Amino acid sequence: MEPDNSARSTLFILGGGLLIGLAIGLVVFVGLPSAQSAGATATGGAPAPAPIVGSPAPDFTLQNISGQSRALSALKGQPVLINFWATWCGPCRYEMPAIEAAYQQHKAEGFTVLAVDADEPLDVVAAFVSELGLSFEVLLDPGNVVNDVYRVRAYPTSYFVDRDGVVALLQIGSMTESQLQKNLEKILSQ
């Protein structure tokens, strides 16, 4: 028995709706390429791949809140935590004291933190840094260019980079002090 035309129409509409829903979900999950990240492309003009564990961390240069330029490549030989965050992000605020404590504990070992803010005004970022008493490098990312290169989709997101400049661990979401210490073992023990 063959389905009638109304049943076919219903199946066609449901199938089309499912495909549209999948396409929208893919765009939300993966995101669309932005014009701002056009400068951060691989050979041939295609967007650079997102950094993954075991791959070199993409280099970048940003200004800190004092106006000085800082480049990731200048830190080769040091373990680095690249933390993507925003002042409006509650989980970011929650983990910042733990990051500051870890920085103070391990900076003599060469450990460096690059806290990359999500395209916020300097005065807002500086007030946040002052309020929490942060002493590590806080960098401004106008237009979220570096956020796009690192494919940041949630705050906070942290990349742990070893002394060879290779991503050793990716952490999405806030960390407790014990989680942070466990993650740091992967880059400090080299």
Side-chain angles (χ1 to χ4, degrees):
M1 176 173 198
E2 254 183 66
D4 62 14
N5 284 340
S6 67
R8 275 193 197 138
S9 295
T10 302
L11 288 174
F12 180 74
I13 291 170
L14 288 174
L18 179 62
L19 288 175
I20 290 170
L22 287 171
I24 291 171
L26 185 60
V27 167
V28 168
F29 181 72
V30 175
L32 292 173
S34 71
Q36 297 162 342
S37 64
T41 58
T43 311
I52 59 171
V53 172
S55 71
D59 192 23
F60 59 85
T61 300
L62 293 172
Q63 287 190 343
N64 65 19
I65 60 174
S66 299
Q68 300 164 315
S69 291
R70 297 291 183 235
L72 176 61
S73 58
L75 300 173
K76 191 144 187 184
Q78 297 176 246
V80 179
L81 165 58
I82 306 170
N83 178 258
F84 292 92
W85 66 284
T87 61
W88 46 260
C89 165
C92 300
R93 177 180 286 274
Y94 168 78
E95 77 175 2
M96 283 294 182
I99 293 173
E100 176 65 26
Y103 173 67
Q104 291 299 325
Q105 181 181 357
H106 298 290
K107 68 183 179 181
E109 301 166 59
F111 174 58
T112 302
V113 175
L114 299 178
V116 180
D117 176 70
D119 191 24
E120 295 181 285
L122 171 60
D123 60 330
V124 172
V125 176
F128 181 91
V129 169
S130 176
E131 176 188 343
L132 293 182
L134 305 177
S135 62
F136 49 76
E137 288 280 354
V138 176
L139 306 176
L140 303 174
D141 187 11
N144 277 330
V145 174
V146 176
N147 275 262
D148 286 348
V149 169
Y150 277 78
R151 302 290 197 271
V152 175
R153 298 288 179 249
Y155 296 107
T157 293
S158 297
Y159 284 86
F160 292 80
V161 180
D162 69 18
R163 295 176 192 274
D164 296 323
V166 173
V167 176
L169 184 78
L170 167 62
Q171 169 81 37
I172 299 173
S174 65
M175 298 173 280
T176 62
E177 284 185 52
S178 62
Q179 288 171 319
L180 177 58
Q181 288 299 330
K182 183 177 177 186
N183 292 343
L184 284 175
E185 289 174 12
K186 295 184 185 306
I187 61 173
L188 291 172
S189 63
Q190 281 186 313

